[in-house]
Structure formats: C-alpha cells, structure tokens
Amino acid sequence: MTRHDFIELFNLGKTYDTPAGPQVIVRGFDLRMDEGEFVSILGHSGCGKSTVLSMVAGLTSISDGSVVVAHKEIAGPGPDRGVVFQAPSLLPWMSAADNILLGVRQVMPRATRAEREAVVQHHLELVGLAGAAARRPAELSLGMQQRVGVARALALSPRLLLLDEPFGMLDALTRMELQEVLLSILEVDRRTAIMVTHDVDEALFLSDRIVLMTSGPAAHVGEIIDVPFARPRRRDDVLEHPDYYELRSRVIEFLDAHDRRAA
C-alpha cells in the first residue's frame, strides 16, 4: 500500500516583506509522496511553483510549515536533494566530467580518484554523453548541456530529484528526446522526483501524480490528479490510453478556470 510519507511538505508557506507590507506567495501547501513517486507541479506563471521547489531544495527560506525528506526535516541545501534547473548552470571553464566531479567529491570524500571518476563516467553514459567527458559547455549544444545537468544531479545519488522546468529552454524535438532519457533513467531505480513544468503533456507522460496550484497571491494546492498509465511507459502507449485526453482536458480546464479568476 502506498503510504505517501517519504516526502512530506506540511503547511508550506512563503511570505516576503515588501514596502507595501507582507506579500504571501505560497500558503498552506501540503503534499505527501511515497518513495519512488514522480510528481509534477503545474500552475500559471507567478503562482509559486518554483518557490515551492526552491524551498524543498533548501535554496529559499521557509516562512511557514516544514519539509521532511526521508523522515528528516531539512534545514538548508544538501546532497540528499539533487537539483536540475531550467538553465544548465555549468561552470564554463570546466569539462563536462569535471562539472559532475565537483558534486561527487562532496558525497564521496573517502573514495579514490578512480572510484569517483567511475561514478562520473557511469552517469555520463546514462545520459548518452560517454564521449563528451572532456568537452567544455561551450562545445556542447544546449540539450547536451542539460544532459550534463541531469547527470550531475543524479551522480549525487539524491533521495529526491528536483527538476525546475528542466526542458523549458529546449526545442520540441530535443525536449521530447530528453524526456525519454529521464524517464528511462528514473524507471530503472524508481527515484523520487518533483518537477515544475508548464507543459501538460510532459507532466502526463512523466508523472504518477500532478499537483495543480491555484493562482497567486497565496497560492496553494488546488487539486491533485492521479496519472494511471502503467510503467514502464512508452509515449505511443500513453497517447493511445483511453484516459489520456480526458485527463489532459481536466488539467487544462483547471488552469483555464484559475486564469479567469486571476484576471
């Protein structure tokens, strides 16, 4: 039975002080996840999706509530959470391998150099970049850079993978290709993941559940939708599933309704 207690976001909130007074961005955000679940967060721009993800990552302070990862309340960033940002954010003077090695050194301080390099090479192979280890970011396409970003996050062996619009800057074909890469990696070990996205089809393809956020200010969880597609997944099977377009319409109707309320 799914218990939904591996990840717990309890009454999570973020408020900023402004000259006009306190500005509540997120209020009372509640979510529980089981180990191995993939959850996507959808909502209109400015509703606080990335703020929620940043609080879970420990990169943004929490105003209210708490975040528990693997039964331990977080108090800041940590290697138990790997983050993939919309922009690859690689150090330009370092090779692809060295960008990954930076984090591996932190989580494997007692390992030999050969052991660390083996971890780096393994994760480059996972994302299809085995031959690009020595190349610097400027020598890689944007899609290849994002593959390095995914490999860097996974190489930490995080308890939770956090994805903030990871494919948002890519063209449609590259985006679909990297969705397939991510899906194949995650389905090997069923790693727990939270992804922020604007793409309804992406969320339906990758997720076990979709969290729909209300429009801000004081955004919160409006609805949670179970995604019933079996794993392992193939894109054609998902698109041909009898529930696909009904679920897609349900998500779009929610977003349309909250777009009108925000207006």
Side-chain angles (χ1 to χ4, degrees), residues 6-7 55-58 67-83 103 106-107 153-162 191-193:
F6 183 70
I7 307 295
M55 286 191 285
V56 177
V67 174
V68 176
V69 176
H71 314 294
K72 180 179 179 181
E73 186 171 355
I74 69 163
D80 57 336
R81 283 148 287 145
V83 185
Q106 298 299 312
V107 298
L154 291 173
L156 301 177
S157 295
R159 307 302 299 271
L160 176 63
L161 183 65
L162 300 169
R191 197 181 300 271
T192 313

Side-chain angles (χ1 to χ4, degrees), residues 36-53:
E37 262 199 296
F38 192 116
V39 169
S40 289
I41 303 177
L42 265 74
H44 290 290
S45 296
C47 75
K49 303 183 301 297
S50 291
T51 300
V52 169
L53 204 75

Side-chain angles (χ1 to χ4, degrees), residues 144-223:
M144 294 171 75
Q145 290 180 44
Q146 196 62 308
R147 287 175 187 249
V148 176
V150 171
R152 179 178 57 186
L154 291 173
L156 301 177
S157 295
R159 307 302 299 271
L160 176 63
L161 183 65
L162 300 169
L163 305 147
D164 192 358
E165 294 277 4
F167 313 127
M169 296 178 63
L170 306 176
D171 64 82
L173 288 177
T174 304
R175 184 181 188 121
M176 291 175 66
E177 182 182 351
L178 287 191
Q179 288 170 1
E180 300 274 4
V181 168
L182 179 64
L183 189 66
S184 65
I185 292 171
L186 295 182
E187 288 190 339
V188 170
D189 58 8
R190 298 293 289 130
R191 197 181 300 271
T192 313
I194 301 175
M195 178 178 70
V196 164
T197 180
H198 284 92
D199 190 317
V200 175
D201 296 300
E202 180 171 84
L204 286 168
F205 180 51
L206 295 173
S207 309
D208 297 302
R209 289 188 292 160
I210 298 173
V211 175
L212 299 173
M213 286 188 70
T214 63
S215 296
H220 57 274
V221 175
E223 185 177 351

